[in-house]
C-alpha cells in the first residue's frame, strides 16, 4: 500500500501514520519530497482496508498495490491451471464445450439434446435442474428428477454434467450428480454458497454476476479457493448495460483480462451474453479468438417451446454448424477443439 500525505502535512501527522503502520506489524518506508511525503507500506497488507490509513489526519490518498485476490492471481501461480476431473481436463491447449438446454424439461428433451451435442463434439452436458428465475411464478426446475435425468444422459452418452446449485444446503445432493457445480450469476456473491462449494473438491463454474466487476468475480473465486477447492473456472456471461437490443452486454474484455490477472480457466457464455440465438455463433468465435478456454452454450431441440431461454438457444443443427466452424479457428490459434 502507498500512503500519500497532503502537501504541508505536519511532522506529527507523518509520524502518526508511520506509528500506525508499525502498530499493524508492517514496515513503513517514508520518502520525503519537497511538497508531499509518500509512505510505502511493506508487508502482508493484503487484508488491510485502505481506510485504516485514509482516516488519519494529513493523509491525501491511499493506493493498494498488488491484488486482493491471492490464490486466484497470476502472481501466485504463473502457469495456467488445468483442472483434471473424472477422466477429462479443462484448461490448457484443449478447448472445452459445454452444451445443452437452459432447463432440464423432460427425458426426451434432455436425451435428444445430449445425443446431438455429443455428436457435434461437446464434452459436457449443461442443464439446470434448479433454476434461479426472476419470477417466483416461472418454472423453477425439475429438481431431483432433473438431476436423475442428467445422470441418465451421462450414462448413455458419456458426457460429463454441469448443473447449477443454488443453496449451501443443496451442495451435497447436487454434488452427487454433477461433475461440475455451476454457481449462477445471481449467486456470484452468495458467500455462504461459495464457502459451501469451496469445502467440496468438485470443480466449480463460477459465473460473473450481471452487475459485478471483474475484481468482484475474482474475489468470489478467492472465497471458493480459500476454502481449499482450487478447481475454479471463471465464466463471463454478460453484464447489464443501457443497451436494450441484447439481453446483456457480452463483456469480452473480461476474457483476456482475466487470463492476464488469473491462472484459472476462463469459460465464455455467449448464450446469456447476447440473449439472441443469431448472435451466439459469432460471439462464440470471438470468445475463442480472445483466449477463452471453453464455451457454455444453450441448445434446445425446439427453442420455440423451451420453458426458459428459448430465444438464445441454438437448434442442434445450428450448434453442429458452429462447432464445425470453430475447429479451424481453434487450430489457427494453436488450440484444439
Ligand atoms: C443458466 O446458465 O441457465 C443461467 C441461469 O445463467 P446465469 O446464471 O448466467 O444467468
Ligand atoms: Mn439459461
Amino acid at each position: 500500500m502507498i500512503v500519500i500525505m497532503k502537501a504541508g502535512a505536519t511532522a506529527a501527522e507523518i509520524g502518526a501514520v508511520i506509528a500506525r503502520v508499525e502498530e499493524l506489524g508492517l514496515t513503513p518506508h517514508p520518502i520525503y519530497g519537497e511538497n508531499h511525503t509518500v509512505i510505502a507500506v511493506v508487508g502482508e497488507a493484503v487484508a488491510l482496508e485502505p481506510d485504516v490509513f485514509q482516516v488519519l489526519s494529513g493523509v491525501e490518498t491511499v493506493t493498494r498495490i498488488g491484488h486482493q485476490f491471492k490464490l486466484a492471481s497470476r502472481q501466485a501461480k504463473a502457469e495456467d491451471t488445468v483442472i483434471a476431473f473424472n477422466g477429462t481436463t479443462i484448461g490448457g491447449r484443449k478447448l472445452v464445450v459445454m452444451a445443452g438446454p437452459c432447463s432440464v424439461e423432460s427425458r426426451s428433451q434432455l436425451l435428444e439434446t445430449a445425443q446431438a451435442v455429443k455428436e457435434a463434439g461437446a464434452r459436457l452436458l449443461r442443464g439446470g435442474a434448479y433454476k434461479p428465475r426472476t419470477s417466483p411464478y416461472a418454472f423453477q426446475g425439475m429438481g431431483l428428477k432433473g438431476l436423475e435425468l442428467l445422470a441418465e444422459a451421462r450414462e448413455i452418452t458419456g458426457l460429463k454434467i454441469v448443473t447449477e446449485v443454488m443453496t449451501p444446503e443443496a451442495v451435497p445432493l447436487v454434488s452427487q450428480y454433477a461433475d461440475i457445480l455451476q454457481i449462477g450469476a445471481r449467486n456470484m456473491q452468495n458467500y455462504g454458497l461459495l464457502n459451501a462449494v469451496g469445502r467440496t473438491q468438485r470443480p466449480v463454474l463460477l459465473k460473473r454476476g450481471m452487475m459485478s466487476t471483474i475484481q468482484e468475480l475474482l474475489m468470489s473465486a478467492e472465497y471458493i479457493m480459500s476454502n481449499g477447492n482450487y478447481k475454479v473456472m471463471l465464466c463471463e456471461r454478460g453484464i447489464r448495460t443501457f443497451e436494450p437490443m441484447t439481453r446483456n452486454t457480452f463483456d469480452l474484455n473480461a476474457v483476456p483480462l482475466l487470463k492476464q490477472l488469473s491462472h484459472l480457466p476462463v469459460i465464455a457464455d455467449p448464450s446469456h451474453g447476447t440473449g439472441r440465438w443469431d448472435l451466439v455463433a459469432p460471439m462464440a468465435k470471438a470468445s475463442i479468438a480472445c483466449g477463452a478456454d471453453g464455451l457454455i452454450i444453450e441448445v434446445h431441440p425446439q427453442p420455440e417451446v423451451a420453458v426458459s431461454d428459448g430465444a438464445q438457444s441454438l437448434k442442434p443443427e445450428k450448434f453442429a454448424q458452429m462447432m464445425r466452424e470453430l475447429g479451424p479457428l481453434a487450430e489457427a490459434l494453436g488450440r484444439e477443439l
Side-chain angles (χ1 to χ4, degrees), residues 100-103 126 128 131-133 164 182 186 207 237 247 269 271-272 298 308-310 312-313:
C102 179
S103 301
R126 62 146 292 146
K131 295 302 301 177
R133 304 304 300 281
E164 179 159 355
Q182 175 175 327
R186 291 157 192 79
K207 299 189 89 174
R237 50 78 73 205
R247 179 178 178 182
D269 176 351
S271 305
H272 293 86
E298 287 185 339
S308 59
D309 291 352
Q312 66 195 34
S313 297

Side-chain angles (χ1 to χ4, degrees), residues 103-105 128-129 131-133 135-143 307-308:
S103 301
V104 179
E105 297 171 17
K131 295 302 301 177
R133 304 304 300 281
S135 164
Y137 309 118
F139 178 67
Q140 302 286 308
M142 291 181 78
V307 299
S308 59

